[in-house]
Amino acid sequence: MKLSHQLVLSSLAVFVLTACSGNATQRRQAKDDFEYLDTPALEEWKMAEGAEPQFYTNYQIPQGDYAGGIGKEVDIRPPQQVLELIPGARAERKQGETTLWLLRESELDTVWATAMKMLQEQNIGIREQTATRVETDWVTWSSEDEDVELGARYEIDRVKAGGRHGFKIALIDWKEAGKEMPVTALNKERYNALMTNLVTARYDLDLREEAQRKAQELVKHIPITMGSDRSGFPVIIARTPYNVLWQRLPRLLPNMGFTIEERNQSQGTIKAKYASPDDQFWTEIGVKPIGLSSGTYTFLFGDLGNRTSINVTDSSGKPVEEELLKDMVPVLSAVAGKNNQE
């Protein structure tokens, strides 16, 4: 059966932390030997004649028939966690299956559409598809933690329970080195989480791109005026949030004749060297030249909530004169407007 696509874990924002070096087998197994497997079987404790046994429930070993790997079969890698990248979603992991629960059906619609887009982008084939269920073709996982190439097929379902809307991923078929094998509980737990993370990572990417697009829309129309800061000193006021304005500054300031040398968003500072543009620039923007001398200046940006204050100091740290700030207001407005049209 043809493998539809290969997913390399390290390149898809899915991280597997490894605490030791060596080959794949060494990364999955305990470092020490397995002499404990040769430990003699436990024998019943024999009490001395006349002794009264005392039992403490704190140390009582649960009774039952427990099945699991021992020795080299034990996988010491930390469990694969589901990345919490979808706001409001709660991940539930039961019997190896992973379900993302959302409060509103509209949110599930978005997550479902994201999953379908991710399958298409990664060239993952689909065998069966309905409005609420998708069964994928073989997906190939490649990882440094595995000795052989792994193959998996998934079932993705929309589910509803208790007024919640869920997105469930289940591993249904498994291959190792091209040979079909039974699906183990460890396979389900680890590789269901990895497939879920591909969806959550893609959702997060869409969310960040949408936020950036909205920020760019907001910054298209920035009223810029003179005002005063909380201390009453004159400053330029840009009526837009600080983080929105900051994204535009690397393009805005160079168009005004400033060459950015240093910038620090957390401190709200940009150090730039100024050289007055030629006459053609001032003619194009329709603003008179500002009387700012060539040299190095520092822009100081203050976060005022839905507004941003702008002040400028010279190379000695002294604020420039109020008249120079006033002259810069129409220049900033004109350059911002000109950039919006490009």
Side-chain angles (χ1 to χ4, degrees), residues 141-162:
W141 293 101
S142 178
S143 171
E144 293 180 352
D145 289 343
E146 304 290 355
D147 296 303
V148 297
E149 195 173 70
L150 306 177
R153 290 203 317 111
Y154 293 90
E155 182 181 75
I156 305 174
D157 294 281
R158 293 174 62 121
V159 294
K160 186 176 181 180

Side-chain angles (χ1 to χ4, degrees), residues 38-106:
D38 300 325
T39 302
L42 298 177
E43 298 179 2
E44 185 177 354
W45 182 267
K46 295 181 180 180
M47 299 293 298
E49 185 177 350
E52 291 292 332
Q54 298 290 331
F55 297 100
Y56 296 89
T57 57
N58 305 52
Y59 305 101
Q60 185 176 356
I61 300 176
Q63 300 297 312
D65 184 16
Y66 299 100
I70 59 175
K72 295 182 179 180
E73 298 174 357
V74 178
D75 193 330
I76 66 169
R77 292 177 296 178
Q80 183 65 42
Q81 300 297 314
V82 175
L83 301 177
E84 298 181 357
L85 299 175
I86 300 179
R90 185 178 68 85
E92 178 183 71
R93 304 175 73 175
K94 184 183 297 183
Q95 296 179 346
E97 296 180 349
T98 303
T99 304
L100 292 176
W101 291 106
L102 301 109
L103 296 178
R104 290 181 288 274
E105 188 172 7
S106 59

Side-chain angles (χ1 to χ4, degrees), residues 3 8 19 29 53 61 77 81 102 118 120 122 130 134 152 156 160 162 215 250 280:
L3 303 183
V8 181
Q29 293 179 358
I61 300 176
R77 292 177 296 178
Q81 300 297 314
L102 301 109
M118 185 277 295
Q120 183 178 14
Q122 299 298 333
T130 67
V134 168
I156 305 174
K160 186 176 181 180
Q280 183 179 355

Side-chain angles (χ1 to χ4, degrees), residues 320-339:
V320 299
E321 297 177 359
E322 182 177 355
E323 289 301 318
L324 287 175
L325 287 179
K326 290 181 178 180
D327 289 345
M328 292 181 67
V329 169
V331 180
L332 277 167
S333 299
V335 172
K338 183 174 181 295
N339 288 340

Side-chain angles (χ1 to χ4, degrees), residues 153-216:
R153 290 203 317 111
Y154 293 90
E155 182 181 75
I156 305 174
D157 294 281
R158 293 174 62 121
V159 294
K160 186 176 181 180
R164 298 180 303 170
H165 303 271
F167 175 86
K168 184 174 73 172
I169 293 181
L171 177 63
I172 56 177
D173 284 320
W174 184 254
K175 278 184 178 182
E176 294 183 10
K179 181 181 178 181
E180 291 197 39
M181 307 281 287
V183 179
T184 66
L186 180 62
N187 297 152
K188 283 185 177 182
E189 180 181 9
R190 192 167 194 82
Y191 287 91
N192 272 337
L194 289 175
M195 179 57 80
T196 304
N197 285 343
L198 290 180
V199 177
T200 60
R202 190 63 183 83
Y203 185 96
D204 180 65
L205 177 62
D206 287 346
L207 206 65
R208 288 186 284 111
E209 289 179 345
E210 177 64 13
Q212 184 177 14
R213 185 191 66 78
K214 289 182 177 180
Q216 291 174 347

Side-chain angles (χ1 to χ4, degrees), residues 207-315:
L207 206 65
R208 288 186 284 111
E209 289 179 345
E210 177 64 13
Q212 184 177 14
R213 185 191 66 78
K214 289 182 177 180
Q216 291 174 347
E217 288 296 322
L218 287 173
V219 83
K220 284 184 177 180
H221 308 286
I222 305 177
I224 300 175
T225 60
M226 280 297 296
S228 58
D229 60 15
R230 293 186 175 95
S231 301
F233 293 103
V235 292
I236 299 172
I237 297 295
R239 299 188 181 278
T240 189
Y242 170 75
N243 61 332
V244 174
L245 180 63
W246 184 268
Q247 295 182 22
R248 196 62 179 275
L249 292 173
R251 184 178 179 185
L252 193 63
L253 292 180
N255 287 344
M256 296 174 57
F258 290 93
T259 302
I260 297 177
E261 297 180 337
E262 299 176 11
R263 55 177 175 159
N264 188 313
Q265 184 173 1
S266 62
Q267 296 181 5
T269 60
I270 290 182
K271 184 178 179 181
K273 182 176 292 185
Y274 178 72
S276 180
D278 56 26
D279 294 339
Q280 183 179 355
F281 167 80
W282 301 109
T283 302
E284 288 178 353
I285 66 172
V287 177
K288 68 176 183 177
I290 57 177
L292 196 65
S293 303
S294 298
T296 300
Y297 295 86
T298 299
F299 286 79
L300 309 173
F301 300 91
D303 189 349
L304 304 179
N306 62 347
R307 300 173 301 154
T308 305
S309 65
I310 307 173
N311 207 342
V312 185
T313 62
D314 58 23
S315 57

